[in-house]
Amino acid sequence: MDRKQVFSVCGMCTVRCPAAVDVVDGRVTGIFGNPFAAGIKGALCARGAAGPGLLYDDERPQTPLIRVGQRGEGKWRAVFWDEALDYVADKLRDIRAKHGPEALLLSDRGGPFMDLTRAFVRGFGSPNYCNHDTACARNVQHASLSIFGCGRKELVLDLKNARHVVLQSRNILESINVKEVNDLLDARDAGCKLTVIDIRANVPAAKADHFFLLRPGTDYAFNLAVINVIIEEKLYDRKFVREWVKDFDQLKEFVAPYTPEFAEKETGASASALRTFVRQFAKAAPSVIWHPGWMTARYSDSFHVCRTAYIINALMGAIGAKGGLPLACKAGDVGKKGLKQLQELFPKPEAKRADGAGWAEGCTHFDPGPGLVNLAFNAIATDQPYPVRAYIAHRHDPLMAFPDPTSVKRLWDKLELFVAVTFTWSDTAWNADVVLPMSTYLERESILASKGGLKPQFFLRNRAVQPRFDTRADWEIYAGLAKRLGIEALAPLAVDTIEELWERQLEGTGVSIADFAAKGFVELADKPLYKPLSFKTPSGKIELFSEKLDRDQVPSLPPYVSPAHPPKGLFRITFGRCGLHTQGHTVNNPLLFELMPENVLWLNKTRAKALGIEHMDLVEVASPKGEGGQLRAYVTEFIHPEAVFMVHGFGHTLPVESRAKGRGVSDNELMPDGINSWDKGGGGICMQEHFVSVRRVEA
Ligand SMILES: Nc1nc2c(c(=O)[nH]1)N[C@H]1C(S)=C(S)[C@@H](COP(=O)(O)OP(=O)(O)OC[C@H]3O[C@@H](n4cnc5c(=O)[nH]c(N)nc54)[C@H](O)[C@@H]3O)O[C@H]1N2
Ligand SMILES: Nc1nc2c(c(=O)[nH]1)N[C@H]1C(S)=C(S)[C@@H](COP(=O)(O)OP(=O)(O)OC[C@H]3O[C@@H](n4cnc5c(=O)[nH]c(N)nc54)[C@H](O)[C@@H]3O)O[C@H]1N2
Ligand code: SF4
Ligand SMILES: [Mo]
């Protein structure tokens, strides 16, 4: 018997926890947390453990496919890799000659391995690398940039050492990052307080010291009232504010009218409970964390909810503090050299970004790194600022990730080449011209990645087993294209082995690939470093009012606007994740499907009664345009009466997914024209600005 344990990185969601994979005679027999990784405690979440369900499932693309029917018709020709890569390379070359290199758009899921796709796009000569994030955390990212001058991940959430954590629109125990869950539970054991602010009682609410159930969309009013109390009662860290916070007096003046009594009328949360909570929260400062949120593509003011969350952390002196939000260290902060960026092997493309991020009117404040992919889609449709004709959706399913898939599809009509690189079927792959099936994370290695934090590190994903089907690793796919395109600049990516890329990445770092053998990662520091504060804002301080936002006519602190109540008989659609599935791409996983085959519709008890709906009745949920579907009602008093809630990712329709097909409802279908509703401040899509009807179908 041949038995081994391979260090990998979980690929069942975007968090990418360090994993160890048991392999017996070339077969994966178990997947665990990397035993050497702090905070993982040797165990992954349920989805991580269900990796074999993905690997050993035959219902995924098994060979490259080229479309023969109309887009979306599902008629394919199975081809060998040579033909598929020749086809894509020929088309790309042709489009490049006709429209210039900027006619290529690639979007992916961001994260630690994006350097490869980003490098490919740059090497091709296009500025149009985008990620998925306008449907996820762009509002948080831009909030952080506007206040601190750095991205959201440059502030660590030091949960393990925290004394009071506030989860606002953050379901940390179901929308999982394993280390964060463990750290928070450890902190709770050590006496850390927990406050949850949500529109329904989620799992963290059941463990909370304070739970505020808000009217959906009123978080900004709540936060302004919190700041009001902090300032009125002088609960802020005076020394920290004097030293680090710019524009405090303006803030004070702005929040004066937003009393807890004002907020109570808006949010429904009692003014006295708010005061009691704020006083307790301030007592634990500076070891406090007001979570700035993650999936915040919800409302037209979500950006400002994130901004006020960060402002509260700043007033508490939590920025930089142990148990608060210390600054993440990079290799350079601990006297080491970081991984060489593959992207930097290529010159900056000449053309400006098609989505306008960083340069167009109203968009100068947006982070040009991954841009705003929905605006890049608009560029495809309008040819403004120039034609975009080739699109590679790499590990990205915009038809599940953005509202109103029909209107998203329409934006792609002019594409001359549409490629999906994926390891499961998705609506997006189904609508592509070419499907390039990627090996699952267990069947491939990845480029090296680094992780900032209190102890920065480099980490490695090894190949645990050989691919079961005719699939390839991402680096093999892009190397194959680089070899065929005949673009001299792309030569550094045209490799034959992953080692060539690893060596290039490690150049000058003093670390060798052999150093990863012992643990799967290499730590660059022996102990956590809480580095001294410094901010890349114009003043070098924490700026509550941003000139950058001013320039784009985005107010730093706009007056609160009360969200509309749902029209009579309707509900506001809200959504989130569950512990057992990842977005839309695990619903067909045999192991996870068995545990949770469909989603349900959370519905307030009183409202349900008025509609004659009982717990677990079959109901129909529909958008004003009539789109929607049928699912079971989960009747509960623990959701705000204005909202219905459902877990995202269900409602699959593809014939190639026998399990998921026809089970549950897709929230994205309930948001007509939602792709055009996005926030000019934070860039996020406003997905919860839609109302739906609910009607009983049968018991
Ligand atoms: N209405 C509504 N919309 C939402 C959300 C919601 O809750 N409600 N959630 C939003 C959030 S938070 C996010 S992050 C996005 C997520 O949506 P997406 O950004 O599209 O991400 P995923 O669904 O994780 O994965 C996309 C595709 O990549 C494939 N894939 C996964 N891993 C790999 C891999 O390692 N390699 C390759 N090549 N392919 C892979 C999957 O099979 C899937 O088909 O959706 C957003 N959209
Ligand atoms: N199991 C699992 N874990 C995941 C993922 C997954 O798909 N599955 N995806 C990963 C990704 S990509 C992301 S972005 C994160 C997302 O992590 P989170 O942002 O925490 O995820 P959600 O579950 O979408 O939403 C969190 C909470 O917001 C609440 N909420 C909805 N509307 C409002 C509102 O108006 N106000 C307030 N205060 N609360 C509201 C919901 O009820 C929910 O409890 O999770 C990551 N981890
Ligand atoms: S949170 Fe779960 S699914 Fe996501 S990477 Fe970690 S173990 Fe895997
Ligand atoms: Mo996300």
Side-chain angles (χ1 to χ4, degrees), residues 609-630:
K609 198 165 174 207
L611 292 168
I613 296 169
E614 304 225 16
H615 189 53
M616 289 297 144
D617 277 356
L618 189 67
V619 295
E620 183 177 81
V621 54
S623 79
K625 276 197 180 165
E627 269 144 358
Q630 298 186 351

Side-chain angles (χ1 to χ4, degrees), residues 10 12-13 15-17 44-45 47-48 176 178:
C10 179
M12 293 298 284
C13 91
V15 171
R16 291 147 178 125
C17 298
L44 300 180
C45 78
R47 298 164 299 143
I176 298 171
V178 172

Side-chain angles (χ1 to χ4, degrees), residues 230 398 428 444 458 557 581 604 618:
I230 291 173
T428 299
R444 68 173 196 260
F458 300 153
L557 279 170
H581 283 293
N604 177 273
L618 189 67

